[in-house]
């Protein structure tokens, strides 16, 4: 089973950069996309509904903002398109498909980099989402939560960690939140199960030559329940083409 997580930074822009020509070659079972930045009505072109997949889009009320999607090869038994958190459901930040006992979700956490008001929104999300994660963990279902969390967990997860200790995305309380997710609550960081100490990144600033020099952050994840821990076979970040300021995270499960 292959699962891809990808922040498109605008799905129409990613399409122009060749994402949908690349995608069929991957033979993925689930593709989770964040930051579609489009309303469903703007995605009527068959390109945005790849053949062989059941496609689910959840958009934000604000046009050109946020939005998530999932392409599932298997027909979902159930769709979940809201977290039950009104502030964030209006922003189109969550989508989940359920196939048998497996839940695959696409999640886009708020970014706090635009200022204190956005960091406050991000912090509200972190506080509200933690009990929901705990409920998922205790539900008895297998979960793969794919997404851009806008948080680098460890010093290993960003190139210039010393210079970013006071910046959103690497703040102590954000990193502590992930400590709780992977510790107290008991989820697993699927990527780090197979590449525990590799310097690998999934997002690069558009400033300078960050992409070319691989000066990045690892902020895209596949968070899994322990029931799937032994099924993770391999992980890769695809940098052969640049579809976005993020690169697709590809994880294979047996």
């Amino acid at each position: 089973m292959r699962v891809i997580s990808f922040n498109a930074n605008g799905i129409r822009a990613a399409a122009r950069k060749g994402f949908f020509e690349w995608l069929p070659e991957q033979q993925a079972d689930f593709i989770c996309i964040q930051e579609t930045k489009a309303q469903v009505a703007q995605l009527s072109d068959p390109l945005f509904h790849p053949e062989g997949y059941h496609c689910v889009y959840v958009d934000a009320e604000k046009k050109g903002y946020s939005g998530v999607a999932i392409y599932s090869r298997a027909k979902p038994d159930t769709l979940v398109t809201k977290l039950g958190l009104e502030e964030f459901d209006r922003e189109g930040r969550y989508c989940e498909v359920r196939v048998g006992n497996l839940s695959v979700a696409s999640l886009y956490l708020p970014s706090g980099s635009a200022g204190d008001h956005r960091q406050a929104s991000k912090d509200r999300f972190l506080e509200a989402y933690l009990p929901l994660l705990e409920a998922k963990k205790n539900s008895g279902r297998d979960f793969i939560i794919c997404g851009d969390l806008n948080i680098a967990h460890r010093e290993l997860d960003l190139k210039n960690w010393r210079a970013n200790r006071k910046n959103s995305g690497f703040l102590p309380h954000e990193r502590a939140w992930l400590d709780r997710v992977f510790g107290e609550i008991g989820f697993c960081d699927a990527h780090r199960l197979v590449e525990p100490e590799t310097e690998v990144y999934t997002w690069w600033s558009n400033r300078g030559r960050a992409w070319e020099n691989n000066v990045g952050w690892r902020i895209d994840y596949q968070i899994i329940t322990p029931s799937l821990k032994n099924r993770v076979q391999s992980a890769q970040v695809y940098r052969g083409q640049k579809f976005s300021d993020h690169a697709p995270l590809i994880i294979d499960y047996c």
Side-chain angles (χ1 to χ4, degrees):
M1 181 177 69
R2 172 165 285 190
V3 181
I4 297 175
S5 184
F6 174 55
N7 180 316
N9 193 21
I11 195 166
R12 290 169 293 177
R16 290 191 295 271
K17 295 171 184 174
F19 176 69
F20 286 97
E21 284 71 37
W22 170 82
L23 193 59
E25 302 168 4
Q26 306 313 306
Q27 299 185 330
D29 296 281
F30 298 94
I31 301 104
C32 297
I33 300 172
Q34 303 86 44
E35 270 204 290
T36 57
K37 292 186 176 181
Q39 307 301 112
V40 173
Q42 295 174 305
L43 302 175
S44 58
D45 189 312
L47 184 71
F48 300 109
H49 301 266
E51 186 177 352
Y53 290 95
H54 300 270
C55 302
V56 183
Y57 286 95
V58 177
D59 51 23
E61 291 180 3
K62 179 181 176 181
K63 291 185 178 180
Y65 180 72
S66 190
V68 292
I70 299 180
Y71 306 155
S72 172
R73 196 175 291 279
K75 183 179 180 179
D77 300 323
T78 308
L79 301 176
V80 180
T81 60
K82 295 183 183 298
L83 289 166
L85 305 173
E86 185 179 356
E87 174 184 359
F88 304 107
D89 287 336
R90 290 198 303 266
E91 296 180 338
R93 294 192 177 277
Y94 187 80
C95 181
E96 176 189 330
V97 297
R98 296 176 179 173
V99 179
N101 198 51
L102 175 66
S103 285
V104 178
S106 185
L107 172 69
Y108 177 46
L109 257 70
S111 169
S113 59
D116 291 345
H117 67 296
R118 292 308 302 162
Q119 184 63 47
S121 175
K122 183 178 185 179
D123 290 345
R124 287 193 298 274
F125 185 96
L126 296 179
E127 182 179 5
Y129 191 52
L130 207 60
L132 300 184
L133 273 176
E134 194 159 14
K136 295 179 195 300
K137 166 65 167 49
N138 296 329
S139 69
R141 297 187 60 78
D142 299 328
F143 269 90
I144 303 175
I145 303 170
C146 298
D148 174 4
L149 302 189
N150 274 308
I151 303 171
H153 186 203
R154 300 163 55 202
E155 294 171 0
L156 182 68
D157 294 324
L158 72 165
K159 190 71 170 182
N160 292 332
W161 65 267
R162 287 183 180 86
N164 284 287
R165 285 177 289 186
K166 295 183 179 180
N167 291 337
S168 181
F170 200 58
L171 296 172
H173 74 274
E174 296 174 329
R175 299 172 63 198
W177 186 85
L178 281 179
D179 286 341
R180 291 188 67 186
V181 171
F182 299 134
E184 174 187 331
I185 294 178
F187 277 90
C188 301
D189 180 346
H191 193 169
R192 284 303 185 205
L193 290 176
V194 290
E195 291 192 332
E197 299 298 331
T198 304
E199 289 187 3
V200 60
Y201 312 116
T202 62
W203 174 81
W204 298 262
S205 170
N206 286 320
R207 298 174 184 172
R209 296 177 57 83
W211 171 273
E212 290 82 358
N213 296 326
N214 199 24
V215 178
W217 298 52
R218 190 180 75 95
I219 57 176
D220 299 89
Y221 295 79
Q222 294 191 26
I223 297 174
I224 63 173
T225 42
S227 53
L228 297 173
K229 183 176 180 179
N230 293 328
R231 294 183 57 185
V232 181
Q233 290 186 310
S234 64
Q236 61 172 304
V237 175
Y238 177 74
R239 278 173 46 89
Q241 297 163 266
K242 189 178 182 183
F243 307 124
S244 165
D245 52 355
H246 294 251
L249 170 62
I250 306 166
I251 296 189
D252 290 327
Y253 301 81
C254 62

